[in-house]
Amino acid sequence: MTDIYNAYINTAEVKGSGSGILSGVRVSIKDNISTKDIETTCASKILKGYIPPYDAHVITRLKAEGAIIAGKTNMDEFGMGSTTENSAFGPTLNPRDVTRVPGGSSGGSAAAVAGGLVSMALGSDTGGSVRCPAAWCGVVGLKPSYGRVSRFGLIAYANSFEQIGPMTTNVRDAAKLFSVIAGHDPKDSTSVNKPYDGNVVPEISGKTIGIPKEYFGEGVDAGVSGEVRKAIGKLEELGANIVDVSLPSMKYALPAYYVTCTCEASSNLGRFDGVRFGPEPEMNLPWHDAYTKVREAGFGGEVRRRILLGTFALSAGYYGKYYVKAQHAKQLIAKDFAAALQTCDMLAGPTMPNIAPKIGELTADPLQMYQADILTVPVNIAGIPAISVPCGTAHKMPVGLQLMGRMFGEETILNAALAYEEAV
Amino acid sequence: MVKENEVLHIAELADIGISSAELGKFTEQFNAILEYFDILDTLEASGPLMRPLVNVFREDEVTPSISQEDALRNSHNPEDGYVRAPRVI
């Protein structure tokens, strides 16, 4: 099959030696997940030619269940972006309208699924990178609770937020793929022992769904919120109790997210200097000069911008003003979600405030690009799980319904998502 | 307001490199983003920062790991089992 959407960076096909519930199933993998003997670049020139000597834990699990690793998918470089335009390999196109972006950063995985190239893919979600492209391409995407899926072998960008998650054509496949990758891994010290049995059933009756008013506020497209309200109406018809809730600290979410992720990125990306992998530094130059040359040529504009922001926010005199305050905001946001989820079984709202923008529409202004993440980052800050399920179209493009669950409450949101999917 | 020379200084600290052609635009974007972050400064400290975490320890036992050969496979001209790096002085 030709890759007309530029969904792939590398189309290698590798079959695992195991057999199990994914026997013969082709699964595409975001290019920031390490695959032994298959080039893994994070869509960056700085990792061109890098061949991981080991598999990420999720790849070991997929191979053990008989899956075929079907190519490495395009993404925003190191996961930094919301459109899959920040890639050294060019933008991925949205299969629903090729003049539009697929969303990001796991845009290649979403396009591969939406374009019918595979039925399952893995993405990673730091601030919405699974759910955003799932919503904009009209597929299902699950961001697991922090710690439920091992990050071993996931090339780190902002490790206190990120999780690997399934992207699939339907909820049953998302549950199946999640059951393969969830569970304890001693190689990730934040991994928890909470496997998932994969028994997804359509179940929504009697559940209480909170609707945070902040998810329908200023900046949310009327067409999008209309479709999501219709979907919530459907859930009510199926027997759910709908209640209004509020997350008052959400106004701090986006700045707290961007301060924290850029700080973590500035540290995590320090390892890319060309010495152990990547382009060779000039050995006869003083080391700062040699590394600067490698990094200036190897990293794209957005990656360098975030490293600069993070370095600044962690520097003497600014650490208390930015990083420490961001951690306080994180605590407040987590408390807001915990309070709302004490009375509610889950929360619901749009995944993205708008439909997929045209190619080039968001790239000129980084701040505008960051603001597209307003409805997805709060979940990463709180650490809770969330799923995006297709729910109709606005302006002829797919809209995503976002269901957010209690910590380790993936079962509840997967069951609710299935109930919705089967009813429409 | 962060000035161009401060952005240059941060770029030096981060070994990131920034060309004179990019400097004006980077500084402008940098300031717009920092202004957006300012709302954080209106936040009062919400008591001590708490993380409901426990340390994850294991016995100090040798377990299988990647080989030295594999670890060096992506480096340029390794020598006697070591990577090569630019000179430090």
Side-chain angles (χ1 to χ4, degrees):
Chain A
M1 215 177 287
T2 48
D3 181 17
I4 55 173
Y5 309 116
N6 196 30
Y8 291 98
I9 291 173
N10 183 333
T11 52
E13 300 248 342
V14 175
K15 195 190 170 314
S17 55
S19 70
I21 64 167
L22 294 180
S23 280
V25 178
R26 298 170 68 249
V27 184
S28 294
I29 309 295
K30 187 177 183 180
D31 205 33
N32 61 351
I33 298 172
S34 302
T35 41
K36 186 173 162 58
D37 300 331
I38 306 174
E39 187 181 14
T40 298
T41 68
C42 292
S44 181
K45 280 191 273 185
I46 212 154
L47 275 176
K48 189 148 178 42
Y50 171 65
I51 311 286
Y54 61 91
D55 274 328
H57 178 74
V58 293
I59 302 299
T60 305
R61 291 290 307 122
L62 288 180
K63 286 180 174 173
E65 291 294 338
I68 298 163
I69 304 304
K72 304 299 296 287
T73 58
N74 201 8
M75 55 184 283
D76 288 294
E77 187 177 359
F78 287 100
M80 299 182 188
S82 314
T83 62
T84 312
E85 291 167 291
N86 295 335
S87 165
F89 301 90
T92 293
L93 312 179
N94 190 320
R96 301 289 292 263
D97 175 350
V98 292
T99 67
R100 293 179 185 275
V101 302
S105 63
S106 314
S109 288
V113 174
L117 305 173
V118 284
S119 61
M120 292 185 181
L122 287 181
S124 67
D125 192 313
T126 309
S129 289
V130 161
R131 291 160 289 153
C132 159
W136 281 353
C137 290
V139 302
V140 175
L142 172 71
K143 195 292 278 189
S145 306
Y146 188 75
R148 197 145 186 194
V149 176
S150 168
R151 289 179 294 107
F152 177 74
L154 172 68
I155 298 174
Y157 148 36
N159 43 299
S160 76
F161 293 135
E162 52 212 7
Q163 276 286 291
I164 295 168
M167 306 179 76
T168 58
T169 49
N170 60 62
V171 175
R172 284 187 194 277
D173 278 354
K176 186 189 267 189
L177 189 50
F178 180 54
S179 75
V180 171
I181 61 174
H184 184 243
D185 170 22
K187 293 198 193 73
D188 172 358
S189 64
T190 61
S191 164
V192 295
N193 189 14
K194 293 207 184 285
Y196 171 63
D197 62 12
N199 291 330
V200 64
V201 289
E203 185 182 81
I204 187 67
S205 184
K207 299 286 181 193
T208 301
I209 305 178
I211 312 299
K213 66 170 193 247
E214 292 79 5
Y215 275 73
F216 293 89
E218 196 190 334
V220 181
D221 177 80
V224 168
S225 57
E227 287 304 306
V228 173
R229 292 241 183 240
K230 260 196 260 172
I232 292 166
K234 183 52 120 182
L235 294 169
E236 192 169 21
E237 245 175 64
L238 295 170
N241 308 311
I242 308 296
V243 297
D244 290 329
V245 297
S246 176
L247 304 165
S249 304
M250 217 175 108
K251 58 178 180 285
Y252 303 117
L254 208 53
Y257 170 76
Y258 274 96
V259 167
T260 309
C261 78
T262 55
C263 287
E264 291 184 14
S266 73
S267 168
N268 279 325
L269 273 63
R271 72 193 60 167
F272 299 106
D273 53 19
V275 170
R276 285 155 299 158
F277 26 70
E280 187 174 10
E282 287 177 43
M283 295 297 177
N284 56 349
L285 285 178
W287 63 298
H288 277 300
D289 296 348
Y291 295 157
T292 298
K293 272 186 115 167
V294 166
R295 288 158 66 84
E296 184 172 0
F299 287 137
E302 182 59 25
V303 173
R304 289 161 62 231
R305 189 177 300 112
R306 292 198 194 189
I307 292 173
L308 281 175
L309 278 165
T311 307
F312 176 77
L314 287 173
S315 64
Y318 295 102
Y319 171 77
K321 179 175 167 160
Y322 294 113
Y323 187 78
V324 173
K325 288 290 176 77
Q327 303 320 300
H328 282 289
K330 182 176 177 179
Q331 191 159 286
L332 289 174
I333 292 157
K335 269 188 197 161
D336 278 2
F337 273 98
L341 286 163
Q342 210 160 26
T343 50
C344 301
D345 296 289
M346 70 197 90
L347 308 180
T351 306
M352 297 302 290
N354 295 96
I355 59 159
K358 293 273 186 186
I359 288 165
E361 201 177 323
L362 284 185
T363 44
D365 180 0
L367 188 55
Q368 208 188 339
M369 173 93 79
Y370 298 175
Q371 284 166 339
D373 301 341
I374 184 74
L375 305 180
T376 49
V377 295
V379 158
N380 301 78
I381 292 174
I384 60 175
I387 189 167
S388 181
V389 202
C391 74
T393 56
H395 317 287
K396 297 182 185 160
M397 288 303 289
V399 173
L401 165 70
Q402 183 172 208
L403 299 173
M404 299 163 265
R406 292 178 180 156
M407 196 70 187
F408 307 120
E410 279 87 345
E411 287 81 350
T412 308
I413 56 172
L414 280 163
N415 290 350
L418 181 62
Y420 175 76
E421 187 183 76
E422 289 193 346
V424 294
Chain B
M1 283 288 275
V2 176
K3 296 188 186 68
E4 288 189 356
N5 61 347
E6 290 172 276
V7 173
L8 265 183
H9 176 61
I10 299 287
E12 264 174 40
L13 290 177
D15 283 340
I16 205 73
I18 194 161
S19 70
S20 49
E22 299 173 304
L23 185 58
K25 193 159 195 189
F26 258 78
T27 307
E28 192 186 305
Q29 292 170 336
F30 207 83
N31 278 305
I33 295 165
L34 288 180
E35 197 183 318
Y36 188 72
F37 288 173
D38 272 350
I39 189 176
L40 288 175
D41 217 21
T42 65
L43 228 168
E44 294 297 321
S46 53
L49 287 170
M50 308 278 283
R51 293 280 169 82
L53 301 174
V54 285
N55 286 327
V56 178
F57 293 125
R58 63 168 176 82
E59 291 305 311
D60 186 16
E61 286 165 356
V62 178
T63 54
S65 169
I66 61 169
S67 65
Q68 189 175 25
E69 192 189 355
D70 275 346
L72 292 171
R73 210 162 71 182
N74 284 282
S75 65
H76 303 277
N77 313 309
E79 201 174 302
D80 301 332
Y82 292 95
V83 292
R84 289 159 61 91
R87 63 190 178 88
V88 287
I89 44 166

